[in-house]
Amino acid sequence: MALHKGSERHEARTVSVNPFFGEADPVGGMTEAPPTHRLPDVPLAPSTAYQLVHDELMLDGNSRLNLATFVTTWMEPQAGVLMAECRDKNMIDKDEYPRTAELERRCVAMLADLWNAPDPAAAVGCSTTGSSEACMLAGMALKRRWARRNADRYPGARPNLVMGVNVQVCWEKFCNFWEVEARLVPMEGERFHLDPQAAIELCDENTIGVVGILGSTFDGSYEPIADLCAALDALQERTGLDVPVHVDGASGAMVAPFLDEDLVWDFRLPRVASINTSGHKYGLVYPGVGWALWRDREALPEELVFRVNYLGGEMPTFALNFSRPGAQVVAQYYTFLRLGREGFRAVQQSTRDVARSLADRIAALGDFRLLTRGDQLPVFALTTNDDVTSYDVFDVSRRLRENGWLVPAYTFPAHREDLSVLRIVCRNGFSHDLADLFVDDLARLLPELRRQPHPLTRDKGAATGFHH
Ligand SMILES: *Cc1c(COP(=O)(O)O)cnc(C)c1O
């Protein structure tokens, strides 16, 4: 959410509008548009208010053509009906809406099972507004456990968290908000995510944990979670340091269990203390729902859990906010019930198939080099070949926008700031047909781009935003 400031510019605007626009009022229709930066003095008819807001929103992009976002942009109509039925339900009122609370509990149980918690009954977890909140909660649990372990030295010591420089911005937020030093493993050569050896070199007695990402928002690659855990096991043997791992599975925790069953990244690894995912990414639910799970009560210090009695009941909660819509949680349960393991496998497989074939076809155009191929997350990053000098990825991103496609271009972080890429996120609803149309549009642009004298997009930042 952008941090908005008030505006004076539009204060005094009175624009006349067609009196037959919206619902004419009995005295002779609306002749002035209502102010947009202060509350109007009088009410509008609902149909007029609707029309004004609806019309303005027509200028938003088409979410289905947005290849930047990981967030679900299509659900079945039945899910929409259920969500509409639940829009008045407040997730926090667990006593008033015990069935909604029960569906949340079942989702947690299903995820504990899916992520191979050794004792699913011992695992604890909750829904959140998304992975960002889930990561905050997981980070807080790591920090509190560290503080307990170091009770004699705390608060003098400064806690740190070790992770790849490719982490999603929520981890920078966590470190900033909770005053934890972020220790970032830089990229190196063609390695675009965390290296276990480099990670353990950054660990010391004040390391609250190491974050492993499944998979990276920069290029869709999975970080080597099992190798990371093995390296930390060896570190413990050598030094006695026992550093837990949190897996940020915002996307991959809902992909790998269905498509990469042999990949060991989850609670099967004893060092993995907690896992998060975004229900609204490959969990296939509209925004905003996320999940945070801890392997057992040991991993989630009890004193972080609140019990309030003023809504009736004594439900334990762990959350940053209080009131929150229940509809997304209901929709998540619907999706779990509706698809089951087979259904999820089919959906994620076809999304990955689209990504794989799109990556190959873009490579076949001749101008691009793939950094990843869409075979882990259905996401891939590409850059222009070295011999392409007349345009760059920012030009491609800007020109694709003319056809409605949103494809972000961005530079990589330390030590690969020299590298600029485009990233394509394939999601459920981005079909082979749409992928065909995308390749056609891209292929049509290339001759023009090749004729440019040099790259033309000056304001690289404004041309395109990087969406984690
Ligand atoms: C998207 C993402 C997040 C943040 O998730 P939200 O659900 O958008 O809050 C965190 N980590 C990773 C790896 C992500 O891809």
Side-chain angles (χ1 to χ4, degrees):
M1 164 77 75
L3 187 61
H4 302 288
K5 44 181 194 191
S7 157
E8 298 128 41
R9 273 192 307 135
H10 305 288
E11 278 298 318
R13 194 182 68 156
T14 50
V15 180
S16 64
V17 293
N18 181 339
F20 295 103
F21 186 75
E23 185 176 286
D25 79 40
V27 196
M30 189 169 69
T31 54
E32 272 180 11
T36 52
H37 287 66
R38 63 177 169 80
L39 280 178
D41 295 329
V42 293
L44 290 175
S47 58
T48 308
Y50 171 80
Q51 195 69 50
L52 285 168
V53 178
H54 171 86
D55 287 4
E56 182 149 2
L57 292 175
M58 290 192 309
L59 298 179
D60 270 346
N62 180 337
S63 65
R64 298 281 300 282
L65 303 183
N66 183 350
L67 302 183
T69 183
F70 287 80
V71 173
T72 298
T73 45
W74 184 86
M75 287 187 81
E76 289 167 328
Q78 288 82 354
V81 172
L82 265 178
M83 290 180 80
E85 287 169 4
C86 296
R87 66 184 141 210
D88 59 335
K89 296 196 183 184
N90 187 350
M91 204 61 233
I92 196 73
D93 290 346
K94 295 184 195 301
D95 197 46
E96 181 174 1
Y97 306 117
R99 299 326 297 171
T100 309
E102 170 61 18
L103 300 192
E104 180 188 33
R105 198 183 350 255
R106 290 182 196 168
C107 287
V108 168
M110 287 180 181
L111 289 172
D113 176 57
L114 186 68
W115 297 339
N116 296 297
D119 177 6
V124 283
C126 56
S127 68
T128 60
T129 49
S131 278
S132 298
E133 187 188 4
C135 293
M136 298 294 146
L137 300 180
M140 285 159 63
L142 290 177
K143 187 179 177 197
R144 188 58 63 94
R145 288 176 64 195
W146 164 84
R148 271 188 183 173
R149 285 197 305 274
N150 293 274
D152 44 336
R153 296 182 314 119
Y154 192 76
R158 177 145 193 245
N160 67 73
L161 182 65
V162 172
M163 52 206 168
V165 68
N166 54 306
V167 284
Q168 209 263 0
V169 66
C170 71
W171 290 105
E172 291 166 42
K173 288 187 193 171
F174 168 77
C175 288
N176 182 335
F177 296 169
W178 273 271
E179 303 190 340
V180 170
E181 178 195 345
R183 293 200 175 161
L184 301 174
V185 177
M187 295 182 172
E188 216 57 78
E190 294 294 294
R191 172 172 65 69
F192 302 121
H193 59 217
L194 183 104
D195 170 64
Q197 218 48 46
I200 62 164
E201 277 160 26
L202 295 179
C203 291
D204 60 24
E205 67 279 9
N206 293 321
T207 301
I208 65 172
V210 181
V211 176
I213 314 172
L214 202 83
S216 174
T217 52
F218 280 83
D219 64 359
S221 62
Y222 291 161
E223 290 194 330
I225 311 288
D227 291 350
L228 173 65
C229 289
L232 287 166
D233 289 346
L235 179 74
Q236 182 173 12
E237 227 158 80
R238 221 170 49 242
T239 66
L241 288 180
D242 183 8
V243 181
V245 167
H246 172 80
V247 179
D248 179 353
S251 301
M254 291 308 293
V255 175
F258 307 110
L259 300 188
D260 310 290
E261 280 176 284
D262 295 337
L263 184 73
V264 178
W265 63 274
D266 54 17
F267 289 125
R268 280 169 286 181
L269 299 165
R271 201 165 281 281
V272 171
S274 46
I275 299 173
N276 70 276
T277 197
S278 294
H280 55 220
K281 290 184 177 175
Y282 292 98
L284 307 177
V285 177
Y286 287 136
V289 62
W291 300 94
L293 267 75
W294 290 264
R295 68 182 302 118
D296 51 33
R297 267 160 231 286
E298 187 68 15
L300 174 59
E302 178 64 20
E303 71 265 23
L304 294 177
V305 176
F306 280 77
R307 290 177 174 74
V308 293
N309 57 9
Y310 37 79
L311 294 171
E314 275 277 344
M315 213 37 114
T317 64
F318 188 29
L320 294 183
N321 52 349
F322 190 67
S323 300
R324 180 157 62 80
Q328 283 80 359
V329 169
V330 170
Q332 184 76 80
Y333 184 68
Y334 165 83
T335 306
F336 285 166
L337 209 60
R338 158 89 176 102
L339 292 177
R341 281 190 188 244
E342 271 316 308
F344 263 100
R345 189 169 295 125
V347 170
Q348 314 301 37
Q349 185 64 54
S350 71
T351 306
R352 190 187 270 180
D353 290 346
V354 169
R356 288 284 308 104
S357 89
L358 183 59
D360 286 346
R361 291 167 62 197
I362 291 175
L365 294 173
D367 284 22
F368 301 103
R369 174 169 77 87
L370 299 175
L371 270 56
T372 43
R373 317 188 63 85
D375 50 7
Q376 294 186 332
L377 293 188
V379 170
F380 56 96
L382 58 140
T383 188
T384 46
N385 281 329
D386 290 342
D387 57 0
V388 173
T389 53
S390 60
Y391 69 93
D392 61 16
V393 291
F394 298 95
D395 290 332
V396 177
S397 176
R398 184 172 49 83
R399 294 299 310 275
L400 281 169
R401 259 177 199 249
E402 294 167 12
N403 295 313
W405 300 106
L406 220 65
V407 177
Y410 50 92
T411 48
F412 267 22
H415 297 147
R416 286 308 310 266
E417 295 96 333
D418 59 305
L419 183 62
S420 300
V421 305
L422 293 159
R423 185 193 65 196
I424 293 178
V425 176
C426 298
R427 301 187 302 282
N428 186 29
F430 184 62
S431 58
H432 280 290
D433 282 351
L434 281 172
D436 285 348
L437 296 174
F438 176 79
V439 177
D440 290 350
D441 281 343
L442 180 58
R444 206 171 20 244
L445 285 177
L446 288 185
E448 273 177 53
L449 287 166
R450 288 174 189 141
R451 280 198 298 276
Q452 290 184 176
H454 51 76
L456 294 179
T457 306
R458 289 246 155 69
D459 189 354
K460 314 269 187 215
T464 168
F466 173 38
H467 301 243
H468 284 283

